[in-house]
Amino acid sequence: MNAADLRLPVDVPSTALFTDQYELTMLQAALRAGTAGRRSVFEVFTRRLPDGRRYGVVAGTGRVLDAVENFRFDAGVLGFLREHGVVDEATLQWLADYRFSGDIWGYPEGEVYFPGSPIMRVEGSFAECVLLETVILSILNHDSAIAAAASRMSSAAGDRPLIEMGARRTHELGAVAAARAAYVGGFSSTSDLAAGFRYNIPTVGTAAHAFTLLHDSERDAFRAQVDSLGRGTTLLVDTYDVAEAVRTAVEITGPELGAVRIDSGDLLLVAHRVRQQLDELGARDTKIVVTSDLDEYAIASLAAAPVDAYGVGTQLVTGSGHPTCSMVYKLVARAESADPDAPLTPVAKKSSGGKTSIGGRKWAARRLDAYGVAETEVVGTGPVPDELAGRQLLVQLVKGGEVVGREPLDAVRDRHCAVRANLPLSATQLSRGEPVLPTEYVQEGSGS
C-alpha cells in the first residue's frame, strides 16, 4: 500500500484558516468592487536558491492537493470569522460555499527547480485563487527545503541508506511532513511512527541510552534487547566504553548481531576501530550505523569510513541551515472583466531591490545537451518552441476543481532520483556555487 491508497484525512478538519487575514480582506474588497470574478493566474516561484545550493527540489505537492480539497469554511470557521469581525456578512456567505473550481498545474513532485521556475500555477477566479496563497506557500516552502537538504545528504551518502530521525527537533506535525519530504529526497526510512502511518514510509528503531542506563549493567541491557527483538537487532554501543560494549554485544549474540549504533565521539576513528573489532570477533556481517548531529558535510567526510547507514535528525528537519526556499505566490495575469472569454493581460510588480517579477502565464522546459544531460531551464510565455515541446515540465494537478495529479510517494521518490541523475555532475558538489542550470527566459514576441 502507498500514500495515495491510504487516503487518510489531514490533521485538521479544515485548512481554510491556514491563511493570512489579508487574503480575506482582499476578497471582501474585490467582491464589493466587482473584480473578484476576474479570471486570474497565480504562479509559485523563487527568485534565488539558498546560498550555496545548486538546485531545488519540489516537495509537498501531494500535501498541497490534500489541503486544497480540505479548504472549506465550515460553521465553526465562519463563526470565528464573524465573531472577530474579520470580514463582512456578504463575504461570509460567499465563503460558506467556497470550493476551488479552477485548475492547478505544476512541476511534478520530486522534480528539481531553479530560480524563476514556475513551480506551481493556479488558475481560476481571483477570489478562489487568492485564498490559497498562504497554505500553498507554507507547504511548498517547508517541504521543499527539507527535500533539498535530504537530496544533498542522500547524494553524499551514495548507496548507504539514510534514516530520518528528527521528530524531536521540530513541531510534532511538522515532523510528519519532514519525514515525507526526506523520503522524497532519498531517505529510506523514518523513526517517526506518525509518518509511517500517514504515508506508509518504512519505520525503524531499537533502543536509546536510557534503556542501557535502566539496567544494572550494559550486558543485562543488551541481553534484554536481544531476548525481545532477536539477534538481528541494533545495539547502541557508546553509553560507556565502546570497545567493551562491542565485545559484550558479540558475546551475547554471536556473529548474527544485526548492527551496532555509534552516537558520539570521532565517528570516523571510532567506526574504523569498531569495524576492525567486529571482524576480529567474527561478526563480519554486522552493520555499523552512525548518528550524532550529522549533515551532508559530515556524511561526505565519512565516505571512506566503514559505515553502513546514517541516522540524521536536527540538520535534516531544519533544512540544513536553510529552513525555507523563499518561494512566492504572485499574480502574473488577469482578465479585464469577469467575462469567461475575456483575454488575459500579463501583470507584474515593478520594484527595486531584487523583488521584480515577470508577467504572463508561463511554461517551462528543460533543454538537454548532446549527451542527454540537462543544460538549461527555459521559461517562457506564449507558444512553446517546437524543439522544446516534448520537454515541458508542468503537469496538470487539478482540473475544474478535481484532483487529477495525485500519485504514490514511491513514484515521487523514484522520479527525484532519476531527475537528479540527469543533472550535470557539479550538481552534487557541496562547495558553494551557482545553480547548476541557468534559467533562460523566452517572452512572447521576442523572437528568441
Side-chain angles (χ1 to χ4, degrees):
M1 182 178 292
N2 55 52
D5 296 326
L6 292 175
R7 297 305 300 273
L8 296 173
V10 291
D11 302 302
V12 292
S14 168
T15 54
L17 292 185
F18 289 173
T19 190
D20 291 299
Q21 182 165 322
Y22 79 171
E23 315 290 8
L24 299 187
T25 55
M26 284 192 288
L27 169 65
Q28 175 178 308
L31 288 170
R32 183 170 297 184
T35 52
R38 290 185 176 184
R39 188 161 58 102
S40 300
V41 179
F42 286 83
E43 288 177 351
V44 176
F45 63 94
T46 185
R47 296 182 175 95
R48 62 192 65 84
L49 297 179
D51 187 34
R53 296 290 166 89
R54 303 299 181 91
Y55 59 92
V57 180
V58 179
T61 306
R63 296 207 309 120
V64 167
L65 299 180
D66 290 341
V68 171
E69 283 188 328
N70 287 276
F71 205 89
R72 305 283 187 268
F73 292 84
D74 57 26
V77 171
L78 292 170
F80 166 79
L81 296 175
R82 180 178 289 109
E83 178 184 354
H84 291 272
V86 175
V87 289
D88 61 21
E89 195 62 34
T91 304
L92 291 173
Q93 292 178 17
W94 189 93
L95 291 173
D97 296 324
Y98 180 87
R99 299 289 187 276
F100 180 73
S101 64
D103 299 331
I104 299 179
W105 294 72
Y107 279 39
E109 191 165 16
E111 254 292 358
V112 296
Y113 69 87
F114 300 92
S117 297
I119 298 162
M120 186 168 287
R121 191 174 70 221
V122 182
E123 305 182 26
S125 71
F126 175 84
E128 60 182 344
C129 294
V130 74
L131 294 182
L132 299 177
E133 174 180 3
T134 301
V135 69
I136 288 177
L137 287 179
S138 65
I139 293 172
L140 293 181
N141 268 314
H142 173 269
D143 290 23
S144 297
I146 306 303
S151 179
R152 284 161 62 87
M153 292 175 189
S154 65
S155 178
D159 295 331
R160 298 172 179 177
L162 291 156
I163 308 163
E164 186 280 313
M165 308 172 60
R168 64 190 62 186
R169 295 292 187 257
T170 188
H171 185 279
E172 66 273 16
L173 298 183
V176 182
R180 182 187 183 280
Y183 192 68
V184 170
F187 275 58
S188 57
S189 58
T190 179
S191 66
D192 189 74
L193 289 176
F197 174 75
R198 179 73 176 85
Y199 296 114
N200 205 34
I201 299 170
T203 59
V204 297
T206 51
H209 292 102
F211 185 77
T212 301
L213 297 170
L214 168 68
H215 292 80
D216 295 336
S217 69
E218 193 168 51
R219 180 178 294 273
D220 289 345
F222 286 177
R223 187 171 297 282
Q225 183 175 331
V226 171
D227 287 347
S228 174
L229 301 177
R231 297 188 179 198
T233 190
T234 299
L235 295 176
L236 181 59
V237 295
D238 71 327
T239 305
Y240 304 117
D241 179 84
V242 173
E244 181 62 28
V246 171
R247 185 177 303 109
T248 300
V250 177
E251 286 177 1
I252 291 172
T253 64
E256 295 83 14
L257 175 60
V260 295
R261 178 162 74 94
I262 306 166
D263 188 51
S264 60
D266 183 335
L267 296 179
L268 179 62
L269 175 63
V270 175
H272 277 286
R273 288 178 174 174
V274 169
R275 180 72 272 159
Q276 180 179 357
Q277 186 180 11
L278 287 170
D279 291 347
E280 291 173 349
L281 293 171
R284 295 182 178 278
D285 294 329
T286 298
K287 307 295 185 184
I288 297 176
V289 180
V290 296
T291 52
S292 186
D293 206 26
L294 300 176
D295 61 11
E296 59 265 50
Y297 301 101
I299 291 169
S301 73
L302 293 169
V307 171
D308 297 287
Y310 306 92
V312 189
T314 303
Q315 294 302 318
L316 174 65
V317 299
T318 57
S320 195
H322 297 290
T324 182
C325 301
S326 300
M327 294 178 186
V328 295
Y329 183 95
K330 296 298 181 184
L331 181 66
V332 297
R334 52 87 174 171
E336 295 183 359
S337 72
D339 184 343
D341 297 323
L344 290 171
T345 300
V347 294
K349 173 184 177 180
K350 291 183 179 180
S351 174
S352 59
K355 282 196 171 185
T356 57
S357 57
I358 298 174
R361 183 179 186 272
K362 297 176 194 69
W363 50 264
R366 192 161 295 149
R367 183 181 292 126
L368 307 182
D369 65 15
Y371 299 96
V373 177
E375 66 174 1
T376 309
E377 192 86 342
V378 185
V379 177
T381 58
V384 180
D386 292 341
E387 67 272 16
L388 295 175
R391 302 293 310 170
Q392 293 191 70
L393 293 167
L394 278 78
V395 298
Q396 189 151 30
L397 303 169
V398 176
K399 183 176 182 180
E402 297 295 324
V403 172
V404 297
R406 189 177 273 113
E407 57 186 341
L409 195 58
D410 282 337
V412 172
R413 186 172 184 269
D414 291 344
R415 174 183 294 120
H416 177 65
C417 182
V419 169
R420 187 178 65 189
N422 197 47
L423 294 175
L425 287 176
S426 57
T428 61
Q429 292 179 340
L430 297 181
S431 58
R432 294 182 180 274
E434 296 300 313
V436 71
L437 297 188
T439 304
E440 174 186 319
Y441 291 98
V442 179
Q443 291 183 279
E444 186 173 13
S446 66
S448 300

